[in-house]
Amino acid sequence: MVEELVAAGVTVGSVGAVYVMAAARVVKQYERGVVLRLGRLQSSVRGPGFTMVVPFVDRLRKVNMQIVTMPVPAQDGITRDNVTVRVDAVIYFKVIDAAEAVVQVEDYRFAVSQMAQTSLRSIIGKSDLDDLLSNREQLNQGLELMIDSPAVGWGVQIDRVEIKDVSLPETMKRSMARQAEADRERRARVINADAELQASKKLAQAAHEMADEPAALQLRLLQTVVAVAAEKNSTLVLPFPVELLRFLERSTQAQQPPAAVAESPASIPESPAVAMPDFGTTDSEAGEPDAPEASRTGQD
């Protein structure tokens, strides 16, 4: 009798151990357990930790609640301004309702991936090239709204969508490079013209100051000579202003005595023209030959 009880107890214990092993489940901290009992969804979602299910009756589906980083394959498209581009992106999402993610969609990861690809192609066709290159923040928000609208019904929340890279054709890259070069050249010319305008204004102010003080021009000339001589050149080009010559001429005339000034060629007036008397026309002037010298002597 005792042996039968012991055998029965061992049998019950074995059956209980097998049941516990078949019914025991462990849900991790970042997971949630969805129980389907005979194909029907149970209202309670199992939290993290140890939990029990009915063997061969319940089926436990574990759903990861972490943020998932999913790359979106590069999509070829034509922008609104007829430029062919290739754009790829990355999407961040997480499951907020484990039951909806299991029941409403067959594979929520695949669904989100396909929705992201179609939304990316749609946003490419609605945007200009300049928007894709410079206004990505607004495009990211538009992508997030387009993907998040159907994903809410799947128990999935879209955290963020980022456009990673925009690939352009080589011809477009060369055209953009030429455009940027032309723009840089235009800005450089404008800056140079502005610099010339400012320099001309400063030079005009300096000219007015030098006109009021003639000695300033001489000092500037000496500074230029010193600057050129510091280079140890064998040839020195010295500009000599005309105003300095006039100044020296006036100084020389002021230092000469009055007599010397009166006798100077500049002060002597020109002599008037003297009229010569008309003695008539000679025979040679009339075209007749001159008489021989001997005949003239005989007549005398």
Side-chain angles (χ1 to χ4, degrees), residues 223-275:
Q223 291 177 358
T224 304
V225 172
V226 171
V228 174
E231 299 294 334
K232 298 181 180 180
N233 296 324
S234 59
T235 303
L236 179 61
V237 179
L238 180 62
F240 206 76
V242 180
E243 289 80 3
L244 182 59
L245 294 176
R246 294 176 180 174
F247 175 76
L248 295 176
E249 182 180 2
R250 289 195 298 268
S251 300
T252 304
Q253 292 179 359
Q255 292 178 1
Q256 288 180 354
V261 174
E263 294 178 358
S264 61
S267 61
I268 297 176
E270 295 181 359
S271 59
V274 179

Side-chain angles (χ1 to χ4, degrees), residues 37-189:
R37 179 166 297 171
L38 297 177
R40 184 181 293 275
L41 177 67
Q42 298 298 306
S43 59
S44 62
V45 177
R46 307 296 175 88
F50 181 79
T51 185
M52 297 287 292
V53 296
V54 179
F56 310 108
V57 176
D58 292 346
R59 183 181 177 185
L60 181 65
R61 292 278 302 272
K62 298 179 181 179
V63 180
N64 193 333
M65 307 296 289
Q66 291 177 314
I67 295 178
V68 180
T69 303
M70 178 181 295
V72 181
Q75 302 295 314
D76 294 327
I78 301 177
T79 61
R80 190 167 56 182
D81 50 354
N82 298 326
V83 179
T84 303
V85 294
R86 186 179 180 86
V87 183
D88 58 349
V90 60
I91 181 172
Y92 303 88
F93 67 94
K94 65 179 179 179
V95 177
I96 57 176
D97 192 340
E100 295 290 336
V102 172
V103 175
Q104 297 297 331
V105 62
E106 179 181 3
D107 186 353
Y108 66 89
R109 290 174 178 264
F110 181 76
V112 171
S113 176
Q114 294 300 313
M115 179 57 65
Q117 295 180 35
T118 55
S119 300
L120 182 59
R121 293 178 65 88
S122 177
I123 206 71
I124 290 174
K126 296 179 180 179
S127 305
D128 295 332
L129 180 60
D130 294 338
D131 295 335
L132 290 175
L133 296 177
S134 60
N135 197 12
R136 292 190 180 182
E137 188 65 28
Q138 184 176 358
L139 296 180
N140 294 336
Q141 295 177 1
L143 274 174
E144 182 178 347
L145 292 175
M146 294 177 66
I147 302 173
D148 190 59
S149 298
V152 171
W154 305 335
V156 178
Q157 179 183 359
I158 306 299
D159 282 352
R160 191 171 183 84
V161 181
E162 292 285 347
I163 295 177
K164 293 173 59 178
D165 187 22
V166 178
S167 300
L168 301 174
E170 293 297 329
T171 56
M172 181 57 64
K173 290 181 181 179
R174 289 193 294 268
S175 300
M176 294 177 65
R178 289 195 299 268
Q179 179 184 0
E181 183 179 358
D183 184 66
R184 291 288 182 179
E185 185 177 357
R186 178 185 62 82
R187 291 169 58 185
R189 290 183 179 180

